Amino acid sequence: MGKDGSGAPVGRRVVLGMLGLGAAGVAAGGYLQNGLDNLLASVTAKDPTGLSGLLPGGQGFRFYSVADSIPHRSAADYRLTVDGLVDRPTTYTLERLQAMPRTRLVRDVQCVTGWRVPHYAFTGVRLADLLAAVGVRPEAKALRFTCFDGVYSESLTLDQAGRPDMLVAYEMDDKPVTAAHGGPVRLYAAPMYFYKSAKWLSGITLTDRVQPGYWEHYGYDVDAWVGRSNGRTDVPTS
Ligand SMILES: Nc1nc2c(c(=O)[nH]1)N[C@H]1C(S)=C(S)[C@@H](COP(=O)(O)O)O[C@H]1N2
Ligand SMILES: [Mo]
């Protein structure tokens, strides 16, 4: 069930939203001008249901981007800003993130559209460790994630973010996160559907309430637990 209590209207809102995005991708010029990155992005924006899975290098992943191209940022230029209701607003370089305690999780990746990648490793910094470093103020109740694609956003409650299986990830499959997968740094919300795992992560803002993310405006659940949301019965991995 969707959060409004019925599956079908949620599905229709999502589809309408995707059609709108597809039209925007065409208007922006799409893949004809700009090579493989934009091909990937425009195909996935217009057809998030599977065509992109035919493209090479996916390991079972579908590449998703709601932006009309894949943004690039080098490891040296990467920055993550943590601000809002914190004691010490901080901007992290990749090097500084990598110097923090490192956590490696192996779980099944589950997309809400059905595809699953079993037993896949993500490595990075626990959100909880990052939050401890900046000092969360008592009024803070939620996190808002923003991305350097300029479009996508996500959210977690403070309680959810404190779980040990919520990472700011800089490696997938023990290699640097590629640009297509949201590198240099993406979120990895292991117990939730993969739309929570914001790619091209550039900002974390502590807020006094949850601000629903990009897909959540199209009807996906804010609390996106695998197997317990979005009308789906997928089997969660621990
Ligand atoms: N910035 C950004 N993050 C995003 C998305 C997106 O379109 N833009 N798509 C989400 C969805 S729906 C999925 S399934 C995963 C896909 O990640 P992948 O492209 O590495 O397979 O990224 C999530 N994070
Ligand atoms: Mo997804």
Side-chain angles (χ1 to χ4, degrees):
M1 293 279 191
K3 62 177 182 290
D4 62 356
S6 91
V10 169
R12 198 175 51 157
R13 281 208 305 282
V14 169
V15 169
L16 290 173
M18 286 172 174
L19 289 174
L21 292 166
V26 171
Y31 63 88
L32 288 175
Q33 298 169 17
N34 297 312
L36 180 61
D37 279 357
N38 278 4
L39 172 61
L40 287 170
S42 68
V43 165
T44 53
K46 275 175 287 208
D47 180 16
T49 55
L51 178 53
S52 58
L54 301 172
L55 294 165
Q59 293 172 298
F61 286 86
R62 312 290 199 271
F63 290 102
Y64 279 73
S65 176
V66 297
D68 65 2
S69 66
I70 290 178
H72 289 264
R73 193 141 308 172
S74 71
D77 290 342
Y78 178 76
R79 298 290 183 277
L80 173 65
T81 302
V82 186
D83 61 11
L85 300 171
V86 299
D87 294 327
R88 295 170 293 281
T90 307
T91 298
Y92 289 86
T93 61
L94 180 59
E95 208 175 22
R96 189 163 169 196
L97 289 173
Q98 288 171 335
M100 294 179 70
R102 188 185 160 87
T103 298
R104 183 176 183 273
L105 298 176
V106 179
R107 300 282 189 278
D108 296 354
V109 168
Q110 179 72 56
C111 175
V112 74
T113 61
W115 56 271
R116 186 173 180 112
V117 182
H119 203 72
Y120 195 87
F122 286 78
T123 304
V125 180
R126 282 200 175 113
L127 263 178
D129 291 341
L130 209 57
L131 293 177
V134 297
V136 175
R137 305 222 317 240
E139 322 86 83
K141 296 286 179 287
L143 289 74
R144 173 173 167 78
F145 302 93
T146 49
C147 305
F148 62 82
D149 62 8
V151 186
Y152 205 74
S153 59
E154 256 307 335
S155 66
L156 288 173
T157 68
L158 191 57
D159 283 350
Q160 291 165 354
R163 292 173 54 109
D165 52 4
M166 297 287 188
L167 300 186
V168 169
Y170 48 74
E171 288 180 11
M172 289 173 63
D173 194 24
D174 301 312
K175 295 179 285 286
V177 179
T178 62
H181 276 303
V185 175
R186 75 180 297 169
L187 195 65
Y188 179 51
M192 294 191 167
Y193 285 104
F194 206 28
Y195 62 85
K196 297 299 283 192
S197 294
K199 298 161 69 164
W200 308 297
L201 183 65
S202 58
I204 302 175
T205 302
L206 277 286
T207 57
D208 61 0
R209 69 182 73 96
V210 167
Q211 298 178 26
Y214 184 91
W215 282 119
E216 293 147 18
H217 290 292
Y218 294 96
Y220 286 110
D221 288 343
V222 174
D223 293 325
W225 306 108
V226 171
R228 290 192 277 134
S229 66
N230 294 293
R232 296 189 59 90
T233 55
D234 309 283
V235 178
T237 54
S238 61

